[in-house]
């Protein structure tokens, strides 16, 4: 069994806390590595290194920083298969899906090649007599990010690429369930020319996270994970005076109107509901057909498609639609929630409870489930299941469907399937959810737009990637300058105003 490490000051560094977490191969259920869990002292050492390295990096001109991003993109492309394999081995997702995880991170790195443009300030010539006014965007200093297990390549890159391109040092605390790819990324970006100490990976659990939140030198925290932890980090981080953005859980509804192309809607639901075993914050977990007739037609189309889904290990190649869930605990939680749905009276139309895969009996595989007649009071509707379980809530009308999605506490993503432009437009305008798809089931914005939910799915003012990322990782300074030719005699005692 392999012992993993931290990546501090450009060096693979063994943990010294004496605490470790097991890293599983979810397909076999075997422990394949141990990851060290950092103490506050180990985190403090990384912060010290970052604080020492950052001023020189912050002073490097933005174009040179962008060139590191450019080379990093090349190296990511060179190593994408290797990264995808390491990712699948710890996470369980299929190889094409793992390559997509790397690719969606890489696209944000590509966007960050435009850092010189994004970091440009503003200038007003002759704002007053002999007065020029200009603003500049400066790095924050030492920044940190805490990431979830479900996108171990993409989400770290969403955070560290704009942070570093903006001139900050960044400390990444990845998920302890799949830490290998984040460690590989840190070495890869140094191969691209990043100085040591600018990107460090410190593995850990709550102790390492609390050390980040409470360290006075760390200026900002990015978090992606479940809502209770997002709320905790946001509250404590803000009260410590840090800039914090936290992205939480989701329960994404897909509304299917009677005029929708039912084959398209069913295909979309299969990919969005069961892809990555449902372990995506943008997965569709609730189908909302409008009218009983639509619901019956939809279910009729879904069932044979679900029954054909191929569940297996990533090593089976492209023949597999989705793999295992991440841990035995995740599997147990999903199956418990399925039981609660059955007990509450929802109709289990496709029952994956007894799913077992020959040769992989100890793997964390969960068969696909489809519920019909789910109601908003049920636990399977209220809670994020994060597994291959699709719930159908039948709505009487478009207004009922809209209200249902609007009343849910989460507001990450949503979709509507319809051929009616008016309905689609009304939905996009009125829905209180951050990312909306119209005949698109997983509306994940591209790198140059921003990503973020509403309500209990996000805490903080700015979104991830796109222009918001450069705003989050810089502070604005505004300078007013006047030269002697513009200076009139005497002192002014009232607030200066332009005449
Ligand atoms: P999680 O909240 O369990 O863990 C996320 C991070 O927080 C990890 O690094 C973990 O080590 C740390 N952590 C866990 N418990 C902690 C504690 N008590 N105190 C401090 N830190 C703690 O989430 P997860 O299971 O890794 O990821 C799945 C969740 O992430 C889902 O809820 C999913 O919807 C959400 N997610 C959201 C987005 C988004 O953009 N909104 C994207 C991806 C995932």
């Amino acid at each position: 069994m392999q012992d993993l490490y931290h990546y501090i000051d450009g060096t693979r560094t063994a943990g010294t806390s004496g605490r470790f977490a097991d890293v599983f191969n979810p397909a076999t259920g075997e422990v394949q590595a141990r990851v060290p869990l950092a103490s506050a002292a180990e985190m403090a050492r990384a912060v010290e290194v970052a604080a020492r390295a950052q001023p020189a990096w912050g002073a490097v001109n933005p174009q040179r920083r962008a060139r590191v991003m450019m080379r990093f993109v090349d190296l990511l492309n060179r190593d994408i298969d290797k990264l995808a394999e390491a990712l699948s081995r710890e996470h369980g997702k299929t190889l094409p899906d793992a390559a997509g995880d790397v690719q969606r991170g890489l696209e944000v790195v590509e966007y960050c090649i435009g850092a010189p443009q994004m970091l440009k300030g503003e200038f007003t010539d002759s704002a007053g007599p002999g007065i020029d006014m200009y603003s500049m965007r400066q790095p924050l200093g030492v920044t940190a990010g805490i990431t979830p297990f479900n996108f171990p390549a993409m989400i770290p890159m969403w955070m560290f690429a704009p942070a570093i391109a903006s001139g900050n040092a960044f400390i990444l605390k990845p998920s302890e369930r799949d830490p290998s790819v984040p460690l590989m990324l840190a070495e890869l970006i140094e191969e691209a020319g990043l100085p040591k100490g600018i990107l460090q990976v410190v593995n850990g659990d709550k102790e390492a996270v609390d050390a980040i939140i409470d360290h006075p030198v760390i200026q900002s925290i990015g978090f992606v994970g479940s809502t209770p932890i997002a709320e905790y980090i946001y509250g404590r981080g803000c009260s410590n005076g840090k800039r914090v953005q936290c992205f939480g859980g989701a329960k994404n509804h897909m509304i299917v109107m009677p005029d929708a192309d039912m084959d398209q809607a069913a295909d979309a639901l299969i990919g969005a509901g069961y892809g990555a075993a449902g372990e995506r914050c943008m997965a569709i977990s609730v189908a909302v057909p409008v009218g009983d007739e639509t619901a019956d037609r939809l279910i009729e189309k879904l069932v044979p498609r679900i029954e054909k889904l191929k569940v297996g290990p990533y090593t089976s190649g492209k023949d597999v639609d989705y793999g295992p869930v991440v841990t035995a605990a995740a599997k147990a939680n999903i199956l418990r929630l399925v039981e609660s749905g059955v007990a509450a009276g929802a109709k289990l139309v496709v029952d994956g409870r007894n799913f077992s895969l020959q040769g992989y009996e100890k793997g964390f595989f969960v068969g696909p489930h489809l519920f019909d007649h789910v109601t908003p009071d049920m636990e399977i509707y209220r809670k994020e299941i994060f597994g291959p379980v699709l719930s159908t809530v039948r709505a009487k009308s478009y207004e009922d469907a809209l209200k249902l999605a609007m009343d849910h506490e989460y507001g990450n993503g949503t979709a509507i399937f319809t051929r009616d432009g008016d309905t689609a437009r009304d939905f996009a305008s009125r829905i209180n959810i951050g990312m909306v798809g119209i005949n698109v089931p997983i509306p994940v914005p591209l790198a140059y737009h921003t990503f973020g939910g509403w309500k209990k799915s996000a805490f903080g003012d700015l979104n991830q990637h796109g222009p918001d990322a450069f705003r989050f990782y810089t502070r604005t300074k505004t300078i007013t300058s006047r030269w002697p030719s513009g200076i009139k005699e005497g002192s002014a005692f009232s607030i200066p105003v332009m005449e």
Side-chain angles (χ1 to χ4, degrees):
M1 192 178 52
Q2 192 194 358
D3 264 356
L4 293 170
Y5 42 85
H6 308 297
Y7 195 71
I8 297 176
D9 202 7
T11 310
R12 295 183 180 189
T13 306
T16 55
S17 70
R19 294 195 310 124
F20 291 87
D22 289 337
V23 179
F24 290 88
N25 177 340
T28 61
E30 284 160 5
V31 176
Q32 53 181 335
R34 290 194 315 170
V35 61
L37 302 174
S39 62
E42 288 169 291
M43 185 60 76
R45 181 168 169 247
V47 175
E48 210 181 293
V49 169
R52 220 180 314 121
Q54 188 275 328
W57 177 244
V60 166
N61 76 55
Q63 201 153 359
R64 278 178 188 268
R65 293 201 300 257
R67 285 188 195 131
V68 172
M69 295 294 150
M70 235 183 275
R71 286 192 291 271
F72 185 40
V73 167
D74 287 343
L75 298 179
L76 287 166
N77 278 315
R78 183 194 71 188
D79 287 0
I80 193 159
D81 292 341
K82 205 161 91 183
L83 290 160
E85 210 276 333
L87 200 158
S88 293
R89 201 175 343 115
E90 289 182 356
H91 177 285
K93 62 175 81 173
T94 65
L95 282 174
D97 201 27
D101 189 330
V102 178
Q103 176 67 27
R104 287 307 289 257
L106 181 159
E107 287 168 12
V108 170
V109 183
E110 281 175 336
Y111 175 71
C112 291
I113 295 171
Q117 169 69 12
M118 298 311 299
L119 296 171
K120 273 195 320 201
E122 295 172 325
F123 188 89
T124 303
D125 170 50
S126 297
I131 296 177
D132 299 325
M133 196 174 284
Y134 59 98
S135 61
M136 53 174 85
R137 291 193 169 279
Q138 295 192 318
L140 304 176
V142 179
T143 59
I146 299 147
T147 52
F149 81 84
N150 68 326
F151 282 101
M154 179 183 87
I155 293 176
M157 284 192 263
W158 283 10
M159 292 184 188
F160 75 65
I164 288 171
S166 300
N168 299 287
F170 190 90
I171 297 174
L172 173 64
K173 204 304 285 171
S175 170
E176 61 275 42
R177 295 181 204 148
D178 44 16
S180 287
V181 169
L183 288 164
M184 290 164 80
L185 294 174
E187 292 195 14
L188 212 55
I189 197 169
E190 281 187 13
E191 191 183 334
L194 188 74
K196 291 182 198 312
I198 298 300
L199 176 62
Q200 301 180 95
V201 180
V202 180
N203 289 299
D205 55 4
K206 182 170 166 39
E207 190 172 335
V209 171
D210 286 347
I212 288 175
I213 306 175
D214 293 337
H215 200 298
V217 170
I218 294 177
Q219 301 295 305
S220 76
I221 305 174
F223 170 86
V224 178
S226 57
T227 289
I229 314 296
E231 276 185 298
Y232 163 71
I233 293 175
Y234 188 71
R236 190 158 152 184
C238 288
S239 71
N240 282 345
K242 297 189 193 314
R243 189 177 285 196
V244 191
Q245 58 174 191
C246 293
F247 299 89
K251 195 79 180 177
N252 303 319
H253 295 55
M254 179 170 134
I255 287 138
V256 182
M257 296 299 292
D259 67 351
D261 179 321
M262 222 41 75
D263 283 305
Q264 257 177 29
D267 285 342
L269 273 169
I270 296 294
Y274 301 96
E279 290 176 324
R280 289 184 183 137
C281 69
M282 289 294 277
I284 296 287
S285 47
V286 186
V288 190
V290 172
D292 275 332
E293 199 199 324
T294 313
D296 292 341
R297 278 162 59 214
L298 184 67
I299 298 279
E300 195 184 300
K301 301 247 179 225
L302 284 173
V303 172
R305 284 168 165 84
I306 298 170
E307 283 170 350
K308 271 195 228 123
L309 283 172
K310 284 180 248 119
V311 184
Y314 77 92
T315 42
S316 296
K318 289 190 175 156
D319 290 340
V320 170
D321 294 314
Y322 74 83
V325 297
V326 69
T327 55
K331 175 174 175 171
N333 184 48
I334 294 162
L335 294 177
R336 186 195 67 73
L337 282 161
V338 169
E339 292 303 338
S340 89
V342 173
K347 188 172 169 200
L348 191 54
V349 186
V350 179
D351 184 351
R353 284 176 293 181
N354 293 323
F355 181 87
S356 171
L357 196 65
Q358 211 183 358
Y360 292 90
E361 287 80 2
K362 292 198 174 136
F364 311 138
F365 292 97
V366 180
H369 295 78
L370 175 67
F371 275 111
D372 194 4
H373 298 285
V374 173
T375 52
D377 54 308
M378 293 179 185
E379 194 184 5
I380 50 166
Y381 177 74
R382 283 184 286 109
K383 286 214 170 127
E384 181 181 41
I385 301 176
F386 228 51
V389 183
L390 182 63
S391 298
T392 310
V393 181
R394 295 173 172 232
K396 288 198 168 51
S397 65
Y398 165 69
E399 287 296 332
D400 282 354
L402 181 74
K403 183 171 181 324
L404 185 76
M406 289 185 69
D407 286 350
H408 203 284
E409 65 171 341
Y410 291 124
N412 213 40
T414 188
I416 187 164
F417 273 62
T418 180
R419 288 183 168 110
D420 184 275
D422 245 3
T423 308
R425 190 166 182 276
D426 183 78
F427 183 73
S429 155
R430 287 167 67 197
I431 194 77
N432 58 357
I433 289 173
M435 292 172 282
V436 181
I438 295 169
N439 298 317
V440 171
I442 305 190
V444 178
L446 291 176
Y448 42 93
H449 287 265
T450 72
F451 180 107
W454 288 14
K455 300 187 277 182
K456 293 262 179 185
S457 294
F459 304 84
D461 304 323
L462 295 169
N463 279 349
Q464 302 196 80
H465 63 66
D468 273 9
F470 285 96
R471 294 186 191 114
F472 183 73
Y473 287 110
T474 57
R475 357 177 119 85
T476 305
K477 188 182 276 175
T478 308
I479 292 104
T480 306
S481 71
R482 180 163 65 170
W483 295 99
S485 60
I487 297 176
K488 292 187 208 141
E489 291 303 315
S491 308
F493 293 98
S494 52
I495 186 155
V497 291
M498 289 301 161
E499 282 149 17

